Amino acid sequence: MTEQYQHRARKRFGQNFLHDAGVIDRILRSINAREGDRVLEIGPGQGALTEGLLNSGAQLDVVELDKDLVPILNNQFAGRGNFSLHQGDALKFDFHTLGAEPGSLRVVGNLPYNISTPLIFHLLSNASLIRDMHFMLQKEVVERLAAGPGGGDWGRLSIMVQYHCRVVHLFNVGPGAFNPPPKVDSAIVRLVPHATLPHPAKDHRLLERVVREAFNQRRKTLRNTLKALLSSEAIEAAGVDGSLRPEQLDLAAFVRLADKLFEQPAAN
Ligand code: SAM
């Protein structure tokens, strides 16, 4: 890299650049991009993952918010026929403009931690386009994504993501793999949208509403937290014990509650 392209990591863009070649290689092997794949990288930064993704022969689109990184990325990769750079905010990016076939898009990124949850929800609203996603996230977030019912990690994020996707916690990455090192541990997660939803809700928005209400006060019983939405009788009729706390319910039970709410005309 020449002197004029030196870049200082910016905190406000969540910039922690990967520099550990072993970790970079392990991530690339987990993604296993192939010629003919359509890959979208969110936040390529200085190109730590980008190089290997391009070498796979995949068609790569990258979305980077920081304008100062554009010349650095173009300097390295603009000559590659399989590289397209989009400068802008991934949270506002319309994934349909990429023209990828339904179910084909492979999304990857070492994500800025401050936008990881809204970005995952933005991507899930386009789940039909996506084949799989591989993200570096804060380790605690990956633990919540991959959690099962019964523990403190099980909550809105686990339920809404597992509604759409199979979640695999692949491996952890320590702060030393980054420059500058973040204050937290990280992990790589794979999210694979279900071909057919295992527990489809009659109205997805009502599932979101029930889950949000239930976990607003996670120490209270469902009978209490869902009072404004469902009567005790309606909760029991959904096959759910109203004296349980939200973290004790699995996804299927939340879907039954949402479908019960759907039957109430005022809810729609
Ligand atoms: N992929 C690079 C790596 O692994 O070294 C950089 C990772 S760094 C943690 C996150 C990257 O996302 C930065 O390049 C940052 O500028 C970019 N970024 C931050 N917010 C973004 C947004 N809303 N949309 C797109 N890129 C964003």
Side-chain angles (χ1 to χ4, degrees), residues 48 72 138 191 238:
I72 295 179
Q138 199 170 328
L191 307 177

Side-chain angles (χ1 to χ4, degrees), residues 33-149:
R34 300 288 176 90
E35 193 167 348
D37 283 356
R38 286 296 310 258
V39 180
L40 170 67
E41 186 185 5
I42 314 271
Q46 297 178 308
L49 297 170
T50 316
E51 172 79 39
L53 292 170
L54 286 169
N55 290 344
S56 74
Q59 186 63 41
L60 179 69
D61 288 89
V62 304
V63 183
E64 174 55 60
L65 180 60
D66 186 351
K67 289 194 177 79
D68 291 350
L69 288 170
V70 169
I72 295 179
L73 288 162
N74 274 332
N75 185 44
Q76 287 185 84
F77 306 121
R80 308 278 195 107
N82 53 343
F83 176 75
S84 295
L85 171 65
H86 311 262
Q87 191 277 318
D89 184 348
L91 288 171
K92 298 185 184 139
F93 192 78
D94 178 358
F95 303 108
H96 290 276
T97 60
L98 297 173
E101 294 289 314
S104 73
L105 197 60
R106 308 195 65 197
V107 186
V108 310
N110 168 13
L111 297 186
Y113 296 146
N114 53 335
I115 67 156
S116 57
T117 306
L119 185 65
I120 289 173
F121 281 109
H122 181 42
L123 284 159
L124 290 178
S125 67
N126 296 277
S128 63
L129 270 183
I130 297 172
R131 179 173 135 196
D132 58 22
M133 301 177 255
H134 289 82
F135 295 129
M136 172 92 77
L137 301 170
Q138 199 170 328
K139 186 168 136 242
E140 278 71 20
V141 175
V142 172
E143 284 165 353
R144 279 162 51 207
L145 288 171

Side-chain angles (χ1 to χ4, degrees), residues 3 15 36 52 57 85 93 101 111 113 115 125 150 155 170 173 186 188 193 196 212 223 236 241 245-246 251:
E3 192 63 29
Q15 290 177 350
L85 171 65
F93 192 78
E101 294 289 314
L111 297 186
Y113 296 146
I115 67 156
S125 67
L170 290 175
V173 179
S186 304
I188 298 287
T196 311
R212 197 177 334 108
R223 197 181 291 132
E236 301 296 327
D241 178 350
R245 289 195 304 220
L251 169 61

Side-chain angles (χ1 to χ4, degrees), residues 4 9 13 21 24 45 52 62 90 98 100 128 136 139 155 178 186-187 199 202 215 223 227 238:
Q4 89 197 81
F13 292 135
I24 293 169
V62 304
L98 297 173
S128 63
M136 172 92 77
K139 186 168 136 242
F178 304 86
S186 304
H199 304 287
K202 295 206 165 94
F215 282 96
R223 197 181 291 132
K227 207 158 41 194

